[in-house]
Amino acid sequence: MFHVATTYNNLGTVHSDLGNLGQAKECHDRALAIRLEKLGPEHVDVASTYNKLGTVHSDLGNLGQPKECHDRALAIRLEKLGPEHVDVAMTWAKLGQAKEYHDRALAIRLEKLGPGHVDVATTYSNLGTVHSDLGNLGQAKECHDRALAIRLEKLGPGMLMSQPLTTTWVLYTVTWATWGQARSIMIMHWPFVWKSLDLGMLMSPTTYSNLGTVHSDLGNLGQAKECP
């Protein structure tokens, strides 16, 4: 019977993707009923269904109900998974409170791990992304700068450039308004930066222009010419 709930959830997701919101809600309602009966109200799978149901309510324009569903999901996940779990972050985001979550996560990690830990750098990066999405570019830059400083100190540029977030940092660096400072950082660690670049992700004219400037500063005039 439990697997039937999973199937209902999956079918609800398909209906939602197809724009069949009424049918999506019906599927998630059935999944929720089964999971509440079989697993109890505090199970993390119940939280997952609450999240899905909240998203459908939001798409349907049912004001108030999305928040109620996401609040229930958040309460379960906070109790069962702890405040730093990625699923908790996702629920905070659905509630429009991603910044509050990352602020809390940062405070916890600073207290438990200290200001120089690489996990603190990850939280700074996440918080920087949220600030960027909110249009707080100065605060976003400050967070990314702190994350970068920690990673350079703890991992070194070679290890840093092998991390999954490296391309994100490069994208942030080469498209940032304060290009002069970013350029100096890239030049300092250029062999590692260039080796790590995924050029398929760097297609904007601004990015190519900035990369061309770096090549020019490094004396690589041929490569600078290839970046108009």
Side-chain angles (χ1 to χ4, degrees):
M1 191 66 174
F2 174 72
H3 296 298
V4 174
T6 301
T7 302
Y8 272 127
N9 254 347
N10 294 338
L11 189 58
T13 300
V14 172
H15 277 303
S16 184
D17 291 341
L18 291 171
N20 306 326
L21 299 181
Q23 292 167 287
K25 179 182 177 299
E26 181 180 347
C27 288
H28 292 312
D29 280 335
R30 291 184 179 181
L32 179 62
I34 294 171
R35 285 179 166 174
L36 283 171
E37 179 184 353
K38 298 297 182 181
L39 302 175
E42 304 300 320
H43 197 280
V44 290
D45 287 345
V46 172
S48 176
T49 305
Y50 273 129
N51 254 350
K52 291 178 182 296
L53 194 55
T55 299
V56 172
H57 276 302
S58 179
D59 292 341
L60 285 168
N62 300 331
L63 302 180
Q65 290 171 293
K67 183 177 184 303
E68 180 182 347
C69 290
H70 294 313
D71 278 339
R72 290 183 180 180
L74 179 62
I76 295 169
R77 285 173 165 172
L78 281 171
E79 180 181 350
K80 298 297 183 179
L81 304 176
E84 295 189 67
H85 195 278
V86 64
D87 287 346
V88 175
M90 182 183 71
T91 309
W92 278 117
K94 288 182 179 294
L95 284 164
Q97 297 172 327
K99 179 181 177 298
E100 287 82 353
Y101 164 76
H102 289 304
D103 281 337
R104 293 183 186 186
L106 179 61
I108 293 170
R109 286 182 167 178
L110 283 171
E111 179 182 352
K112 300 294 185 181
L113 304 175
H117 197 280
V118 290
D119 287 345
V120 172
T122 298
T123 306
Y124 273 127
S125 285
N126 293 339
L127 190 56
T129 300
V130 172
H131 276 301
S132 182
D133 291 341
L134 292 171
N136 306 326
L137 300 184
Q139 290 167 288
K141 178 180 180 299
E142 180 181 347
C143 289
H144 286 304
D145 282 343
R146 291 184 179 181
L148 176 61
I150 294 170
R151 287 175 172 147
L152 284 172
E153 179 182 352
K154 296 297 182 180
L155 303 176
M159 182 62 69
L160 174 66
M161 294 306 163
S162 69
Q163 299 302 303
L165 288 178
T166 298
T167 303
T168 301
W169 171 76
V170 172
L171 281 167
Y172 148 75
T173 303
V174 299
T175 59
W176 197 255
T178 54
W179 171 243
Q181 181 183 6
R183 183 174 61 187
S184 66
I185 294 173
M186 289 184 71
I187 290 173
M188 186 183 306
H189 304 293
W190 183 250
F192 303 103
V193 174
W194 184 249
K195 182 179 179 181
S196 72
L197 283 175
D198 180 358
L199 294 180
M201 298 178 63
L202 301 175
M203 297 300 294
S204 76
T206 300
T207 300
Y208 276 120
S209 177
N210 290 340
L211 286 172
T213 302
V214 172
H215 276 303
S216 180
D217 290 343
L218 290 168
N220 303 329
L221 300 182
Q223 289 165 293
K225 182 175 180 294
E226 295 175 7
C227 300

